Amino acid sequence: MHDGQTGGRVAGGLGDAEARFRSAFEEAGIGMAIVGLDGRFVRVNRQLAHVLGRTVGELLDGAGIADVSHPDELESRLGDFGRLIAGELDRYQRDRRYAHADGRTIWGATTLSLVRDDAGAPLYAIGQLEDITARRAAEDRAGRRAAQQSALARLSQLALTEQRFPALARATVRSITEILDVSLAGLAERSPDDDGLRFVIGAYTDDACDSAAARLDERHALHTLAEGRPVVVRDTARETRFDVAGLVARGLASGMTVPVAGEDAVPFGVLGMYATAPRAFDDDDLAFLQSVANVLTAALRRIAAERGLRHQSLHDPLTNLPNRALLLDRLRLALARGRRAGTWTAVLYLDVDDFKNVNDSLGHLAGDELLRELAPRLSDVLRPSDTLARVGGDEFAVLCEGLDEVAESAAIADRLLEAAARSLTLDGVVVEPTASIGIALVGPDSTACGDELLRDADVAMYRAKRLGRGRYELFDDGMRAETIERVALTNDLRHAIERGELHLAYQPVVRFSDRRVAGFEALVRWSHPERGEIPPGRFIPLAEQHGVIAALGSWVLHEALDQQRRWRDAGLALGDMSMSVNVSRVQLRRPELAADVLGALAERGLNPGDLMLEVTESAVMQDPDVAHATLRTLNRAGVRIALDDFGVGQSSLACLRDLPLDVLKLDRLFITSLATSREAVAIVRAVTDMARTLGFSVVAEGIETEAQGQVVEALGCDIGQGYLYARPVPPEAAPGIVARLDAALGCAAPARAA
């Protein structure tokens, strides 16, 4: 029998001090014990018994430190106690795990102090135990959350840069096993025929290598896809929703799976993990797994968007044919192969006759449909080794390599002319198109480059048009006179500024948020005294090639700012609208461009924010160090920077990251393809979502129909520009155009995204 709360009597009388000690001991709010030198309890209070889930009698009936310690800590606990009794320690404090009577593990803040007699010999130890289980649980949860957030941050960063999805998936499953402390994690992809799953990647906690054995349970994963939401199995012994025999056979007792969304509405697959013991997974665990799945989804969509952009950078979105850049790359390789093989290489340059008449009479949509119809017709009559590319508005080029004789190119041209001449119906009107073709050939001994061959074929094509159209012409030395004519045009351009032959037209841009005119783009025009109106597409390339573009660009900038100042001085609201000016690659190579631009603004009393400069990535990449420094200087001063022709050149995420941008301008080819290309819609949506995340505005160029305007607004574009609103007009007509547009747009209901 034990006497109340005491299991024995410690030598010495109680006295007043002992009475006070007894009272403090018994009434303490934390567990307290006197432990004999053998490690058994000599005295305990009620709080200690409560914390451990036992009675006082049970603890005093021979129980000791070894009986209440967690098995994993028993050895270190007895070691600490032994050092205390041996005099190596007088006191120690530890956070220890204890075995509760109901089998739970509890945490206690433990203090154990040694009491000695007057001679210094150890008598007993006094221990204190504060239940810190809740605190440790909160700390552990906070630690898990921090680890999960850190892992998500790493995976999110990797998802922005990693081009290989399997590498990202590998890092993902390994993070899951580490962070959630589970036996295995895996990713499965839905089969294309929807009848099963395909293993993608898996990992064990004790296996650093990818393991095909770390597969998700197929029944579990398919149930997840069918439900379209996470499925948690806390204990296979109690699972009734699906057959868990496969899990049991592999020694797995619990797990979680979540669906991984794909590039569109169809799910990509399932991400999951399993443990060998029943686990009460909490909301944090499930949220982490779902967040990881979301990272994979974001990566899948980014990779798909970049794949689309890469394809778009080398292909024409209207016809899906290779563009000029891809053609020139293939032409370079073909010329090298021809030199080695001793064969001929030909380029056939095809232009649709009277294409402008189709656009003017039936509209640009009909013109686009004509080009889409022509592309497969022309492809069908070519050899498998030939490359058909769209190199301009209504211009196609064909690369034919491995020719044994010149006559082969003529036979190919005949087939192309016949294919192009077949009638078709556009908007209810029967059209009988024809084409003109120029052929340029080089033999194995030629040192000509691809650009030269393409240029010569272009010259021959213009000769075919002048000689009657619907025919082909072979390039010869006599055609070089046409090149001389280009030189004459270039010389005229050098004097066009001083002769007053250049002028600017202004095309308004419309802001969708308030449906008002937000500004103008200044566009240069050339009225030649003898040749008439020369389109910018003809003289600007000449200016860039022959050193005229710097003077031309400077004139455009100053004239546009002068006009803005004139509008402002006249009290017109147009003077407060932004003015957009294009900057060429030659201008961007000049380090003094920033000073020139800021000086021009200051001279006219205009703010930097009144101006937006439009650049292309190809222009920036001519001399990226100088261009980046110039654009950063201008942007810091307040000048807005727009990336023009986004999506049809070499535009990349790296460009968006490195350049100080405010605006992305989608090329008109995207807009004209929206009605027929799901890929174009997906890319425009992806670009607008990405731009919004990066803080950019998006301008849709080339809007010609009300339907196009509604679609781009619904897809998230901020600004619209195109013939739907207004063609470029002279400055005196701008106020009237703005008034008309503001009135018309203000009456129109804004488009709403679905």
Side-chain angles (χ1 to χ4, degrees):
M1 297 292 293
H2 295 286
D3 180 18
Q5 300 288 320
T6 62
R9 185 176 298 279
V10 179
L14 290 174
D16 292 341
E18 185 171 347
R20 288 192 298 272
F21 172 78
R22 179 193 293 271
S23 175
F25 184 91
E26 300 299 346
E27 301 303 324
I30 61 174
M32 296 192 69
I34 295 177
V35 184
L37 300 182
D38 60 357
R40 296 182 182 279
F41 295 121
V42 176
R43 175 182 290 177
V44 298
N45 69 355
R46 287 187 298 271
Q47 183 62 23
L48 180 64
H50 173 72
V51 169
L52 296 174
R54 307 174 189 232
T55 66
V56 171
E58 288 172 344
L59 292 177
L60 294 178
D61 193 14
I65 293 174
D67 300 293
V68 298
S69 296
H70 190 279
D72 292 347
E73 293 191 357
L74 180 58
E75 183 177 350
S76 64
R77 183 74 183 275
L78 293 177
D80 283 343
F81 186 76
R83 285 191 292 276
L84 185 75
I85 299 304
E88 298 176 18
L89 300 170
D90 285 333
R91 182 174 183 270
Y92 71 77
Q93 290 179 299
R94 302 278 193 278
D95 285 355
R96 293 288 193 182
R97 285 178 292 173
Y98 290 86
H100 194 275
D102 63 5
R104 288 184 295 117
T105 296
I106 63 172
W107 278 92
T110 305
T111 301
L112 204 59
S113 303
L114 184 65
V115 177
R116 302 174 184 273
D117 61 16
D118 293 341
L123 291 175
Y124 52 84
I126 296 179
Q128 297 178 340
L129 174 65
E130 180 184 359
D131 186 358
I132 60 170
T133 304
R135 189 188 79 194
R136 285 298 295 253
E139 291 175 351
D140 289 346
R141 186 173 184 181
R144 288 198 307 274
R145 282 182 174 176
Q148 290 170 1
Q149 290 169 358
S150 177
L152 279 173
R154 292 195 303 271
L155 291 174
S156 297
Q157 182 65 30
L158 184 63
L160 286 173
T161 56
E162 179 58 66
Q163 298 298 319
R164 301 163 300 158
F165 182 75
L168 174 62
R170 183 179 300 111
T172 296
V173 296
R174 289 177 180 170
S175 290
I176 293 172
T177 58
E178 293 170 2
I179 300 302
L180 295 183
D181 190 24
V182 291
S183 302
L184 63 87
L187 176 66
E189 180 181 4
R190 181 183 55 85
S191 299
D193 51 10
D194 290 332
D195 65 349
L197 296 166
R198 183 182 68 83
F199 171 73
V200 176
I201 204 80
Y204 284 107
T205 53
D206 56 354
D207 183 1
C209 300
D210 304 332
S211 175
R215 296 174 181 269
L216 298 184
D217 181 74
E218 187 167 12
R219 292 182 182 275
H220 190 181
L222 289 175
H223 186 76
T224 304
L225 286 177
E227 291 287 319
R229 57 186 175 85
V231 177
V232 180
V233 176
R234 292 183 171 84
D235 189 346
T236 54
R238 296 182 175 85
E239 181 56 57
T240 59
R241 291 170 294 180
F242 57 90
D243 187 357
V244 294
L247 289 172
V248 174
R250 296 164 65 188
L252 302 173
S254 59
M256 292 190 296
T257 53
V258 296
V260 179
E263 300 171 18
D264 45 32
V266 179
F268 169 81
V270 176
L271 177 69
M273 37 107 291
Y274 296 101
T276 55
R279 284 271 296 273
F281 297 109
D282 60 19
D283 291 342
D284 287 344
D285 297 331
L286 183 58
F288 172 70
L289 191 64
Q290 186 63 68
S291 296
V292 172
N294 294 342
V295 168
L296 293 177
T297 295
L300 285 167
R301 292 176 176 174
R302 175 188 62 79
I303 291 170
E306 288 184 352
R307 183 171 59 245
L309 287 174
R310 284 194 297 272
H311 177 85
Q312 197 70 32
S313 72
L314 296 174
H315 290 79
D316 165 48
L318 181 65
T319 63
N320 206 33
L321 292 175
N323 62 13
R324 180 184 293 267
L326 183 53
L327 175 70
L328 286 173
D329 184 63
R330 292 184 180 178
L331 182 52
R332 175 180 57 83
L333 298 175
L335 290 171
R337 286 192 292 265
R339 295 183 189 105
R340 291 193 301 268
T343 55
W344 288 76
T345 302
V347 169
L348 290 76
Y349 206 104
L350 181 149
D351 183 90
V352 181
D353 298 329
D354 291 323
F355 183 74
K356 185 176 184 299
N357 185 49
V358 173
N359 275 338
D360 291 344
S361 58
L362 301 179
H364 286 281
L365 294 180
D368 289 345
E369 182 61 25
L370 172 58
L371 298 176
R372 278 193 295 268
E373 288 283 343
L374 277 180
R377 289 187 182 187
L378 301 177
S379 295
D380 288 344
V381 300
L382 297 174
R383 306 171 305 167
S385 59
D386 298 334
T387 295
L388 173 65
R390 183 184 176 206
V391 293
D394 62 331
E395 296 174 340
F396 298 85
V398 180
L399 164 62
C400 302
E401 60 176 306
L403 303 178
D404 294 322
E405 57 182 3
V406 175
E408 290 184 71
S409 66
I412 294 171
D414 281 330
R415 296 199 300 270
L416 289 170
L417 292 174
E418 182 180 353
R422 295 201 299 270
S423 63
L424 71 159
T425 302
L426 298 175
D427 198 20
V429 177
V430 177
V431 177
E432 297 183 353
T434 62
S436 300
I437 297 176
I439 305 174
L441 289 130
V442 293
D445 298 329
S446 173
T447 59
C449 66
D451 282 315
E452 293 170 340
L453 197 59
L454 196 61
R455 179 200 63 201
D456 291 347
D458 187 19
V459 170
M461 181 271 295
Y462 278 107
R463 169 69 64 85
K465 279 188 176 294
R466 286 197 301 272
L467 293 179
R469 304 186 177 187
R471 56 181 292 156
Y472 68 83
E473 285 291 320
L474 283 168
F475 180 84
D476 57 35
D477 290 338
M479 294 182 187
R480 298 196 185 278
E482 298 193 23
T483 304
I484 297 174
E485 190 270 343
R486 292 186 182 184
V487 173
L489 191 63
T490 302
N491 289 333
D492 289 345
L493 180 59
R494 295 183 191 277
H495 303 288
I497 297 175
E498 59 190 61
R499 292 172 181 168
E501 298 171 7
L502 298 178
H503 62 277
L504 294 185
Y506 299 89
Q507 186 173 32
V509 297
V510 174
R511 185 170 49 237
F512 291 136
S513 61
D514 58 4
R515 310 188 68 75
R516 297 184 67 84
V517 175
F520 297 90
E521 180 177 1
L523 301 168
V524 64
R525 298 292 186 259
W526 184 12
S527 298
H528 194 284
E530 298 174 1
R531 306 172 190 267
E533 291 293 326
I534 299 177
R538 179 145 176 81
F539 69 81
I540 288 180
L542 292 177
E544 291 181 334
Q545 295 168 14
H546 300 286
V548 186
I549 193 65
L552 177 61
S554 178
W555 179 86
V556 170
L557 172 68
H558 287 79
E559 177 60 25
L561 296 180
D562 283 340
Q563 183 57 57
Q564 195 170 20
R565 183 71 261 176
R566 286 192 288 269
W567 281 333
R568 188 165 297 182
D569 291 342
L572 298 176
L574 282 64
D576 294 323
M577 295 180 179
S578 67
M579 181 70 74
S580 297
V581 175
N582 291 278
V583 177
S584 72
R585 61 177 183 268
V586 176
Q587 289 174 281
L588 278 176
R589 289 204 303 264
R590 298 173 59 245
E592 59 270 23
L593 175 63
D596 291 347
V597 170
L598 296 176
L601 287 164
E603 289 171 5
R604 291 157 179 80
L606 297 174
N607 296 319
D610 295 332
L611 176 65
M612 181 163 67
L613 296 182
E614 299 187 12
V615 300
T616 62
E617 186 184 16
S618 59
V620 172
M621 295 312 294
Q622 290 285 319
D623 192 340
D625 291 338
V626 173
H628 284 195
T630 298
L631 294 178
R632 280 195 295 270
T633 299
L634 289 167
N635 194 246
R636 282 196 294 265
V639 175
R640 302 175 69 208
I641 307 298
L643 185 63
D644 201 5
D645 299 336
F646 183 76
V648 298
Q650 300 294 325
S651 301
S652 66
L653 292 178
C655 174
L656 303 186
R657 178 194 63 199
D658 296 338
L659 287 177
L661 297 175
D662 301 286
V663 175
L664 298 182
K665 297 194 71 174
L666 287 170
D667 190 88
R668 71 175 300 273
L669 292 176
F670 281 114
I671 311 309
T672 57
S673 303
L674 287 175
T676 58
S677 171
R678 292 180 59 191
E679 181 183 20
V681 173
I683 290 175
V684 171
R685 180 182 289 112
V687 169
T688 54
D689 288 346
M690 176 177 59
R692 187 174 296 109
T693 300
L694 297 174
F696 302 152
S697 298
V698 177
V699 177
E701 292 189 285
I703 300 174
E704 297 182 357
T705 67
E706 187 67 38
Q708 291 172 350
Q710 293 174 354
V711 170
V712 297
E713 184 175 359
L715 289 176
C717 294
D718 303 286
I719 303 290
Q721 182 178 355
Y723 287 176
L724 172 64
Y725 309 113
R727 293 174 178 268
V729 298
E732 60 271 15
I737 291 292
V738 170
R740 177 182 63 79
L741 277 176
D742 283 347
L745 293 171
C747 296
R752 298 184 182 274

